Amino acid sequence: MTITYEYEGALYVNLTNRCNCACVFCLRHGKAQGSIYTEDSLWLEREPTREEALADFLKRDVPSYREIVFCGYGEPTYRIDDLLWLVDRLKECFGDRLPPVRINTNGHANLIHGRDVCPELKGRIDTLSISLNSSSAAEYAAICRPREGEAAYQAMLDFTRKAAKYVPNVVMTIVDKDKTPEEIERCRQIARDLGVRLRVRAFIDS
Ligand code: SF4
């Protein structure tokens, strides 16, 4: 079972395969076939406990990485309580030597948990990378196929606005594939209006 893995000098963490979306481009569709990031599949036969995840971290030279990234095949904020518990334990172990912590997320944590988790991110999470994916709720729903339908789009925008009060570096991302310059500019404006930055990522074919 792969819990932590290295990628381009960062330490990635895979705590869950659960997700409320089924994005058309999701690498989870590859499941047991492995991934572009590791030789093993990131498809977990079961979710690791937080103690198992901590033990996996502590096998490594954690301060040597440039960043810690909660990501994985799935939406990491499903396990926000365990994720933040892990960050607290790592801060206890490594203090100022702990690399910056990022969560790659679909921005649905508040939707998933039915509460505002943003204040809990303060002082624990350095960067949030939130998938914007589209400038319209209808297209977003078609691409990401969230269980909650088009309402998930506004929930993601609301989460971004709230999270920006507590997390120093919040970035929204889109993938450049099939995006016109006009669509990219609309996405840039949405991010600007929320007080965050837009990052346009190159499409990676899994
Ligand atoms: S939100 Fe992320 S994990 Fe979930 S289906 Fe989309 S790409 Fe996959």
Side-chain angles (χ1 to χ4, degrees), residues 106-152:
N106 63 13
H108 294 168
N110 291 351
L111 192 62
I112 290 165
H113 294 288
R115 72 173 202 271
D116 181 11
V117 306
C118 295
E120 300 166 42
L121 308 179
K122 187 176 180 181
R124 291 158 150 165
I125 304 303
D126 300 283
T127 300
L128 273 178
S129 179
I130 302 170
S131 304
L132 173 59
N133 287 323
S134 175
S135 65
S136 83
E139 191 193 43
Y140 181 85
I143 296 172
C144 300
R145 301 181 289 186
R147 279 184 212 134
E148 300 82 358
E150 291 187 19

mmCIF file of all heavy atoms in Angstrom, residues 106-152:
data_model
loop_
_atom_site.group_PDB
_atom_site.id
_atom_site.type_symbol
_atom_site.label_atom_id
_atom_site.label_comp_id
_atom_site.label_asym_id
_atom_site.label_seq_id
_atom_site.Cartn_x
_atom_site.Cartn_y
_atom_site.Cartn_z
ATOM 1 N N ASN A 106 -10.509 19.431 -4.461
ATOM 2 C CA ASN A 106 -11.582 19.899 -5.351
ATOM 3 C C ASN A 106 -12.380 21.037 -4.706
ATOM 4 O O ASN A 106 -13.330 21.543 -5.308
ATOM 5 C CB ASN A 106 -12.506 18.743 -5.765
ATOM 6 C CG ASN A 106 -13.252 18.095 -4.605
ATOM 7 O OD1 ASN A 106 -13.281 18.625 -3.502
ATOM 8 N ND2 ASN A 106 -13.856 16.941 -4.863
ATOM 9 N N GLY A 107 -12.025 21.399 -3.475
ATOM 10 C CA GLY A 107 -12.670 22.541 -2.831
ATOM 11 C C GLY A 107 -14.040 22.223 -2.253
ATOM 12 O O GLY A 107 -14.832 23.125 -1.967
ATOM 13 N N HIS A 108 -14.322 20.952 -2.040
ATOM 14 C CA HIS A 108 -15.651 20.558 -1.559
ATOM 15 C C HIS A 108 -15.665 20.150 -0.090
ATOM 16 O O HIS A 108 -16.626 19.510 0.356
ATOM 17 C CB HIS A 108 -16.200 19.407 -2.419
ATOM 18 C CG HIS A 108 -16.484 19.806 -3.829
ATOM 19 N ND1 HIS A 108 -16.756 18.903 -4.819
ATOM 20 C CD2 HIS A 108 -16.533 21.026 -4.420
ATOM 21 C CE1 HIS A 108 -16.953 19.537 -5.961
ATOM 22 N NE2 HIS A 108 -16.820 20.822 -5.746
ATOM 23 N N ALA A 109 -14.616 20.491 0.633
ATOM 24 C CA ALA A 109 -14.527 20.029 2.029
ATOM 25 C C ALA A 109 -15.754 20.449 2.843
ATOM 26 O O ALA A 109 -16.316 19.642 3.588
ATOM 27 C CB ALA A 109 -13.259 20.582 2.683
ATOM 28 N N ASN A 110 -16.181 21.690 2.677
ATOM 29 C CA ASN A 110 -17.330 22.154 3.474
ATOM 30 C C ASN A 110 -18.621 21.461 3.038
ATOM 31 O O ASN A 110 -19.502 21.180 3.855
ATOM 32 C CB ASN A 110 -17.477 23.670 3.361
ATOM 33 C CG ASN A 110 -16.331 24.397 4.052
ATOM 34 O OD1 ASN A 110 -15.524 23.773 4.743
ATOM 35 N ND2 ASN A 110 -16.250 25.694 3.848
ATOM 36 N N LEU A 111 -18.699 21.183 1.761
ATOM 37 C CA LEU A 111 -19.856 20.461 1.217
ATOM 38 C C LEU A 111 -19.872 19.023 1.748
ATOM 39 O O LEU A 111 -20.916 18.506 2.168
ATOM 40 C CB LEU A 111 -19.721 20.443 -0.316
ATOM 41 C CG LEU A 111 -20.888 20.012 -1.174
ATOM 42 C CD1 LEU A 111 -22.075 20.941 -0.978
ATOM 43 C CD2 LEU A 111 -20.460 20.013 -2.644
ATOM 44 N N ILE A 112 -18.726 18.416 1.778
ATOM 45 C CA ILE A 112 -18.613 17.021 2.210
ATOM 46 C C ILE A 112 -18.928 16.887 3.704
ATOM 47 O O ILE A 112 -19.628 15.970 4.122
ATOM 48 C CB ILE A 112 -17.189 16.490 1.915
ATOM 49 C CG1 ILE A 112 -16.974 16.341 0.397
ATOM 50 C CG2 ILE A 112 -16.919 15.167 2.633
ATOM 51 C CD1 ILE A 112 -15.516 16.171 -0.025
ATOM 52 N N HIS A 113 -18.416 17.834 4.496
ATOM 53 C CA HIS A 113 -18.523 17.684 5.953
ATOM 54 C C HIS A 113 -19.707 18.436 6.561
ATOM 55 O O HIS A 113 -20.010 18.264 7.746
ATOM 56 C CB HIS A 113 -17.220 18.125 6.621
ATOM 57 C CG HIS A 113 -16.071 17.217 6.270
ATOM 58 N ND1 HIS A 113 -15.958 15.941 6.760
ATOM 59 C CD2 HIS A 113 -15.015 17.396 5.429
ATOM 60 C CE1 HIS A 113 -14.870 15.370 6.261
ATOM 61 N NE2 HIS A 113 -14.288 16.231 5.439
ATOM 62 N N GLY A 114 -20.334 19.303 5.766
ATOM 63 C CA GLY A 114 -21.475 20.039 6.292
ATOM 64 C C GLY A 114 -21.094 21.036 7.367
ATOM 65 O O GLY A 114 -21.912 21.389 8.226
ATOM 66 N N ARG A 115 -19.844 21.468 7.368
ATOM 67 C CA ARG A 115 -19.390 22.516 8.302
ATOM 68 C C ARG A 115 -18.250 23.275 7.643
ATOM 69 O O ARG A 115 -17.663 22.791 6.656
ATOM 70 C CB ARG A 115 -18.930 21.919 9.635
ATOM 71 C CG ARG A 115 -17.612 21.162 9.571
ATOM 72 C CD ARG A 115 -17.131 20.727 10.975
ATOM 73 N NE ARG A 115 -15.697 20.486 11.004
ATOM 74 C CZ ARG A 115 -15.129 19.312 10.741
ATOM 75 N NH1 ARG A 115 -15.876 18.274 10.402
ATOM 76 N NH2 ARG A 115 -13.812 19.177 10.807
ATOM 77 N N ASP A 116 -17.941 24.439 8.182
ATOM 78 C CA ASP A 116 -16.848 25.228 7.622
ATOM 79 C C ASP A 116 -15.535 24.783 8.260
ATOM 80 O O ASP A 116 -15.272 25.078 9.431
ATOM 81 C CB ASP A 116 -17.109 26.717 7.896
ATOM 82 C CG ASP A 116 -16.013 27.587 7.311
ATOM 83 O OD1 ASP A 116 -15.188 27.074 6.532
ATOM 84 O OD2 ASP A 116 -15.989 28.794 7.636
ATOM 85 N N VAL A 117 -14.723 24.086 7.492
ATOM 86 C CA VAL A 117 -13.451 23.584 8.031
ATOM 87 C C VAL A 117 -12.332 24.618 7.878
ATOM 88 O O VAL A 117 -11.234 24.410 8.399
ATOM 89 C CB VAL A 117 -13.018 22.257 7.354
ATOM 90 C CG1 VAL A 117 -14.130 21.218 7.434
ATOM 91 C CG2 VAL A 117 -12.579 22.474 5.910
ATOM 92 N N CYS A 118 -12.604 25.719 7.169
ATOM 93 C CA CYS A 118 -11.506 26.646 6.816
ATOM 94 C C CYS A 118 -10.734 27.178 8.022
ATOM 95 O O CYS A 118 -9.493 27.219 7.973
ATOM 96 C CB CYS A 118 -12.042 27.781 5.952
ATOM 97 S SG CYS A 118 -12.651 27.197 4.359
ATOM 98 N N PRO A 119 -11.417 27.580 9.121
ATOM 99 C CA PRO A 119 -10.634 28.083 10.253
ATOM 100 C C PRO A 119 -9.631 27.056 10.781
ATOM 101 O O PRO A 119 -8.586 27.418 11.332
ATOM 102 C CB PRO A 119 -11.701 28.408 11.306
ATOM 103 C CG PRO A 119 -12.947 28.647 10.515
ATOM 104 C CD PRO A 119 -12.863 27.693 9.358
ATOM 105 N N GLU A 120 -9.941 25.765 10.609
ATOM 106 C CA GLU A 120 -9.043 24.718 11.117
ATOM 107 C C GLU A 120 -7.753 24.610 10.305
ATOM 108 O O GLU A 120 -6.793 23.967 10.727
ATOM 109 C CB GLU A 120 -9.771 23.362 11.115
ATOM 110 C CG GLU A 120 -11.010 23.354 11.992
ATOM 111 C CD GLU A 120 -11.898 22.147 11.726
ATOM 112 O OE1 GLU A 120 -11.381 21.032 11.570
ATOM 113 O OE2 GLU A 120 -13.131 22.337 11.661
ATOM 114 N N LEU A 121 -7.738 25.240 9.136
ATOM 115 C CA LEU A 121 -6.547 25.154 8.287
ATOM 116 C C LEU A 121 -5.465 26.138 8.729
ATOM 117 O O LEU A 121 -4.298 25.980 8.398
ATOM 118 C CB LEU A 121 -6.929 25.434 6.823
ATOM 119 C CG LEU A 121 -8.089 24.614 6.257
ATOM 120 C CD1 LEU A 121 -8.361 25.023 4.808
ATOM 121 C CD2 LEU A 121 -7.789 23.110 6.325
ATOM 122 N N LYS A 122 -5.883 27.130 9.496
ATOM 123 C CA LYS A 122 -4.977 28.220 9.882
ATOM 124 C C LYS A 122 -3.765 27.689 10.668
ATOM 125 O O LYS A 122 -3.922 26.936 11.636
ATOM 126 C CB LYS A 122 -5.727 29.238 10.741
ATOM 127 C CG LYS A 122 -4.901 30.458 11.033
ATOM 128 C CD LYS A 122 -5.707 31.482 11.807
ATOM 129 C CE LYS A 122 -4.822 32.694 12.069
ATOM 130 N NZ LYS A 122 -5.514 33.712 12.821
ATOM 131 N N GLY A 123 -2.586 28.116 10.240
ATOM 132 C CA GLY A 123 -1.362 27.726 10.936
ATOM 133 C C GLY A 123 -0.931 26.302 10.657
ATOM 134 O O GLY A 123 0.086 25.845 11.178
ATOM 135 N N ARG A 124 -1.703 25.587 9.866
ATOM 136 C CA ARG A 124 -1.373 24.187 9.565
ATOM 137 C C ARG A 124 -1.088 23.978 8.079
ATOM 138 O O ARG A 124 -0.182 23.233 7.725
ATOM 139 C CB ARG A 124 -2.536 23.278 9.978
ATOM 140 C CG ARG A 124 -2.729 23.186 11.478
ATOM 141 C CD ARG A 124 -4.129 22.750 11.772
ATOM 142 N NE ARG A 124 -4.248 21.990 12.997
ATOM 143 C CZ ARG A 124 -5.398 21.744 13.600
ATOM 144 N NH1 ARG A 124 -6.524 22.201 13.085
ATOM 145 N NH2 ARG A 124 -5.440 21.026 14.695
ATOM 146 N N ILE A 125 -1.900 24.632 7.257
ATOM 147 C CA ILE A 125 -1.772 24.433 5.808
ATOM 148 C C ILE A 125 -1.191 25.703 5.191
ATOM 149 O O ILE A 125 -1.695 26.810 5.428
ATOM 150 C CB ILE A 125 -3.150 24.110 5.179
ATOM 151 C CG1 ILE A 125 -3.783 22.891 5.865
ATOM 152 C CG2 ILE A 125 -3.013 23.878 3.664
ATOM 153 C CD1 ILE A 125 -2.956 21.614 5.839
ATOM 154 N N ASP A 126 -0.136 25.543 4.396
ATOM 155 C CA ASP A 126 0.518 26.701 3.774
ATOM 156 C C ASP A 126 -0.062 27.014 2.405
ATOM 157 O O ASP A 126 -0.125 28.176 2.004
ATOM 158 C CB ASP A 126 2.022 26.419 3.632
ATOM 159 C CG ASP A 126 2.651 26.177 4.988
ATOM 160 O OD1 ASP A 126 2.877 27.159 5.702
ATOM 161 O OD2 ASP A 126 2.890 25.002 5.336
ATOM 162 N N THR A 127 -0.438 25.971 1.670
ATOM 163 C CA THR A 127 -0.939 26.167 0.309
ATOM 164 C C THR A 127 -2.151 25.277 0.066
ATOM 165 O O THR A 127 -2.157 24.107 0.435
ATOM 166 C CB THR A 127 0.151 25.804 -0.732
ATOM 167 O OG1 THR A 127 1.293 26.635 -0.526
ATOM 168 C CG2 THR A 127 -0.346 25.988 -2.143
ATOM 169 N N LEU A 128 -3.156 25.872 -0.561
ATOM 170 C CA LEU A 128 -4.293 25.090 -1.068
ATOM 171 C C LEU A 128 -4.285 25.234 -2.578
ATOM 172 O O LEU A 128 -4.257 26.353 -3.104
ATOM 173 C CB LEU A 128 -5.606 25.668 -0.556
ATOM 174 C CG LEU A 128 -6.147 25.211 0.790
ATOM 175 C CD1 LEU A 128 -7.440 25.978 1.065
ATOM 176 C CD2 LEU A 128 -6.390 23.721 0.833
ATOM 177 N N SER A 129 -4.332 24.131 -3.273
ATOM 178 C CA SER A 129 -4.454 24.147 -4.716
ATOM 179 C C SER A 129 -5.836 23.596 -5.054
ATOM 180 O O SER A 129 -6.126 22.418 -4.826
ATOM 181 C CB SER A 129 -3.346 23.281 -5.340
ATOM 182 O OG SER A 129 -3.468 23.273 -6.733
ATOM 183 N N ILE A 130 -6.712 24.464 -5.524
ATOM 184 C CA ILE A 130 -8.126 24.112 -5.707
ATOM 185 C C ILE A 130 -8.437 24.022 -7.195
ATOM 186 O O ILE A 130 -8.146 24.956 -7.958
ATOM 187 C CB ILE A 130 -9.024 25.181 -5.043
ATOM 188 C CG1 ILE A 130 -8.689 25.289 -3.547
ATOM 189 C CG2 ILE A 130 -10.502 24.860 -5.254
ATOM 190 C CD1 ILE A 130 -9.342 26.474 -2.846
ATOM 191 N N SER A 131 -9.032 22.925 -7.605
ATOM 192 C CA SER A 131 -9.350 22.733 -9.017
ATOM 193 C C SER A 131 -10.573 23.564 -9.388
ATOM 194 O O SER A 131 -11.680 23.287 -8.924
ATOM 195 C CB SER A 131 -9.647 21.260 -9.306
ATOM 196 O OG SER A 131 -8.560 20.467 -8.913
ATOM 197 N N LEU A 132 -10.375 24.561 -10.229
ATOM 198 C CA LEU A 132 -11.489 25.387 -10.707
ATOM 199 C C LEU A 132 -12.160 24.702 -11.905
ATOM 200 O O LEU A 132 -13.381 24.631 -11.995
ATOM 201 C CB LEU A 132 -10.970 26.780 -11.072
ATOM 202 C CG LEU A 132 -11.958 27.734 -11.740
ATOM 203 C CD1 LEU A 132 -13.182 27.986 -10.874
ATOM 204 C CD2 LEU A 132 -11.280 29.064 -12.077
ATOM 205 N N ASN A 133 -11.352 24.284 -12.827
ATOM 206 C CA ASN A 133 -11.786 23.467 -13.974
ATOM 207 C C ASN A 133 -12.654 24.174 -15.009
ATOM 208 O O ASN A 133 -12.613 23.830 -16.181
ATOM 209 C CB ASN A 133 -12.511 22.194 -13.530
ATOM 210 C CG ASN A 133 -11.552 21.181 -12.950
ATOM 211 O OD1 ASN A 133 -10.434 21.051 -13.422
ATOM 212 N ND2 ASN A 133 -11.973 20.479 -11.918
ATOM 213 N N SER A 134 -13.462 25.141 -14.601
ATOM 214 C CA SER A 134 -14.361 25.774 -15.568
ATOM 215 C C SER A 134 -14.857 27.113 -15.044
ATOM 216 O O SER A 134 -14.858 27.356 -13.841
ATOM 217 C CB SER A 134 -15.560 24.864 -15.830
ATOM 218 O OG SER A 134 -16.479 25.529 -16.667
ATOM 219 N N SER A 135 -15.327 27.944 -15.969
ATOM 220 C CA SER A 135 -15.891 29.242 -15.552
ATOM 221 C C SER A 135 -17.407 29.180 -15.430
ATOM 222 O O SER A 135 -18.042 30.183 -15.132
ATOM 223 C CB SER A 135 -15.500 30.325 -16.559
ATOM 224 O OG SER A 135 -16.099 30.065 -17.809
ATOM 225 N N SER A 136 -18.004 28.016 -15.655
ATOM 226 C CA SER A 136 -19.466 27.932 -15.508
ATOM 227 C C SER A 136 -19.863 26.668 -14.743
ATOM 228 O O SER A 136 -19.203 25.623 -14.847
ATOM 229 C CB SER A 136 -20.154 27.930 -16.877
ATOM 230 O OG SER A 136 -20.163 26.643 -17.430
ATOM 231 N N ALA A 137 -20.942 26.811 -13.974
ATOM 232 C CA ALA A 137 -21.420 25.685 -13.169
ATOM 233 C C ALA A 137 -21.841 24.505 -14.053
ATOM 234 O O ALA A 137 -21.613 23.340 -13.709
ATOM 235 C CB ALA A 137 -22.584 26.134 -12.290
ATOM 236 N N ALA A 138 -22.437 24.824 -15.194
ATOM 237 C CA ALA A 138 -22.943 23.745 -16.056
ATOM 238 C C ALA A 138 -21.779 22.929 -16.632
ATOM 239 O O ALA A 138 -21.802 21.687 -16.614
ATOM 240 C CB ALA A 138 -23.788 24.339 -17.185
ATOM 241 N N GLU A 139 -20.755 23.640 -17.118
ATOM 242 C CA GLU A 139 -19.622 22.902 -17.685
ATOM 243 C C GLU A 139 -18.863 22.152 -16.586
ATOM 244 O O GLU A 139 -18.412 21.027 -16.778
ATOM 245 C CB GLU A 139 -18.673 23.864 -18.419
ATOM 246 C CG GLU A 139 -17.649 23.101 -19.230
ATOM 247 C CD GLU A 139 -16.500 23.961 -19.719
ATOM 248 O OE1 GLU A 139 -15.977 24.798 -18.956
ATOM 249 O OE2 GLU A 139 -16.102 23.777 -20.871
ATOM 250 N N TYR A 140 -18.752 22.800 -15.424
ATOM 251 C CA TYR A 140 -18.085 22.159 -14.286
ATOM 252 C C TYR A 140 -18.767 20.831 -13.955
ATOM 253 O O TYR A 140 -18.112 19.804 -13.763
ATOM 254 C CB TYR A 140 -18.135 23.102 -13.090
ATOM 255 C CG TYR A 140 -17.472 22.596 -11.840
ATOM 256 C CD1 TYR A 140 -16.108 22.751 -11.640
ATOM 257 C CD2 TYR A 140 -18.223 21.978 -10.833
ATOM 258 C CE1 TYR A 140 -15.493 22.299 -10.473
ATOM 259 C CE2 TYR A 140 -17.619 21.526 -9.667
ATOM 260 C CZ TYR A 140 -16.259 21.694 -9.494
ATOM 261 O OH TYR A 140 -15.665 21.241 -8.340
ATOM 262 N N ALA A 141 -20.092 20.869 -13.900
ATOM 263 C CA ALA A 141 -20.839 19.648 -13.569
ATOM 264 C C ALA A 141 -20.634 18.574 -14.638
ATOM 265 O O ALA A 141 -20.572 17.374 -14.329
ATOM 266 C CB ALA A 141 -22.316 19.971 -13.406
ATOM 267 N N ALA A 142 -20.496 19.017 -15.893
ATOM 268 C CA ALA A 142 -20.297 18.052 -16.980
ATOM 269 C C ALA A 142 -18.899 17.436 -16.924
ATOM 270 O O ALA A 142 -18.714 16.248 -17.231
ATOM 271 C CB ALA A 142 -20.509 18.744 -18.329
ATOM 272 N N ILE A 143 -17.906 18.224 -16.520
ATOM 273 C CA ILE A 143 -16.519 17.737 -16.476
ATOM 274 C C ILE A 143 -16.251 16.922 -15.204
ATOM 275 O O ILE A 143 -15.648 15.857 -15.249
ATOM 276 C CB ILE A 143 -15.520 18.926 -16.509
ATOM 277 C CG1 ILE A 143 -15.622 19.701 -17.819
ATOM 278 C CG2 ILE A 143 -14.086 18.439 -16.313
ATOM 279 C CD1 ILE A 143 -14.798 20.998 -17.813
ATOM 280 N N CYS A 144 -16.710 17.460 -14.064
ATOM 281 C CA CYS A 144 -16.346 16.865 -12.770
ATOM 282 C C CYS A 144 -17.393 15.870 -12.252
ATOM 283 O O CYS A 144 -17.104 15.067 -11.372
ATOM 284 C CB CYS A 144 -16.116 17.952 -11.720
ATOM 285 S SG CYS A 144 -14.802 19.088 -12.185
ATOM 286 N N ARG A 145 -18.590 15.967 -12.763
ATOM 287 C CA ARG A 145 -19.672 15.054 -12.417
ATOM 288 C C ARG A 145 -19.827 14.869 -10.897
ATOM 289 O O ARG A 145 -19.831 13.736 -10.395
ATOM 290 C CB ARG A 145 -19.475 13.729 -13.144
ATOM 291 C CG ARG A 145 -19.439 13.912 -14.656
ATOM 292 C CD ARG A 145 -19.271 12.640 -15.420
ATOM 293 N NE ARG A 145 -17.964 12.062 -15.294
ATOM 294 C CZ ARG A 145 -17.531 10.997 -15.952
ATOM 295 N NH1 ARG A 145 -18.346 10.383 -16.789
ATOM 296 N NH2 ARG A 145 -16.318 10.527 -15.777
ATOM 297 N N PRO A 146 -19.908 16.002 -10.147
ATOM 298 C CA PRO A 146 -20.077 15.883 -8.687
ATOM 299 C C PRO A 146 -21.442 15.310 -8.347
ATOM 300 O O PRO A 146 -22.421 15.570 -9.051
ATOM 301 C CB PRO A 146 -19.942 17.326 -8.186
ATOM 302 C CG PRO A 146 -20.247 18.183 -9.361
ATOM 303 C CD PRO A 146 -19.888 17.410 -10.590
ATOM 304 N N ARG A 147 -21.493 14.564 -7.257
ATOM 305 C CA ARG A 147 -22.779 13.994 -6.816
ATOM 306 C C ARG A 147 -23.795 15.092 -6.559
ATOM 307 O O ARG A 147 -24.993 14.888 -6.717
ATOM 308 C CB ARG A 147 -22.571 13.231 -5.503
ATOM 309 C CG ARG A 147 -22.014 11.860 -5.708
ATOM 310 C CD ARG A 147 -21.933 11.115 -4.373
ATOM 311 N NE ARG A 147 -20.782 10.230 -4.448
ATOM 312 C CZ ARG A 147 -19.873 10.085 -3.514
ATOM 313 N NH1 ARG A 147 -19.979 10.748 -2.381
ATOM 314 N NH2 ARG A 147 -18.858 9.281 -3.687
ATOM 315 N N GLU A 148 -23.314 16.245 -6.132
ATOM 316 C CA GLU A 148 -24.212 17.347 -5.758
ATOM 317 C C GLU A 148 -24.635 18.166 -6.963
ATOM 318 O O GLU A 148 -25.341 19.171 -6.808
ATOM 319 C CB GLU A 148 -23.518 18.249 -4.742
ATOM 320 C CG GLU A 148 -23.100 17.551 -3.439
ATOM 321 C CD GLU A 148 -21.783 16.790 -3.553
ATOM 322 O OE1 GLU A 148 -21.195 16.757 -4.654
ATOM 323 O OE2 GLU A 148 -21.345 16.215 -2.553
ATOM 324 N N GLY A 149 -24.184 17.810 -8.157
ATOM 325 C CA GLY A 149 -24.575 18.533 -9.368
ATOM 326 C C GLY A 149 -23.971 19.929 -9.427
ATOM 327 O O GLY A 149 -22.914 20.191 -8.850
ATOM 328 N N GLU A 150 -24.670 20.825 -10.127
ATOM 329 C CA GLU A 150 -24.123 22.160 -10.361
ATOM 330 C C GLU A 150 -23.885 22.938 -9.062
ATOM 331 O O GLU A 150 -23.053 23.847 -9.020
ATOM 332 C CB GLU A 150 -25.052 22.956 -11.286
ATOM 333 C CG GLU A 150 -25.065 22.417 -12.708
ATOM 334 C CD GLU A 150 -25.859 23.298 -13.665
ATOM 335 O OE1 GLU A 150 -26.098 24.477 -13.340
ATOM 336 O OE2 GLU A 150 -26.245 22.792 -14.729
ATOM 337 N N ALA A 151 -24.609 22.589 -7.995
ATOM 338 C CA ALA A 151 -24.432 23.307 -6.720
ATOM 339 C C ALA A 151 -23.005 23.168 -6.192
ATOM 340 O O ALA A 151 -22.523 24.015 -5.433
ATOM 341 C CB ALA A 151 -25.414 22.778 -5.680
ATOM 342 N N ALA A 152 -22.317 22.131 -6.612
ATOM 343 C CA ALA A 152 -20.943 21.903 -6.140
ATOM 344 C C ALA A 152 -20.005 23.012 -6.620
ATOM 345 O O ALA A 152 -18.995 23.311 -5.974
ATOM 346 C CB ALA A 152 -20.439 20.542 -6.612
#
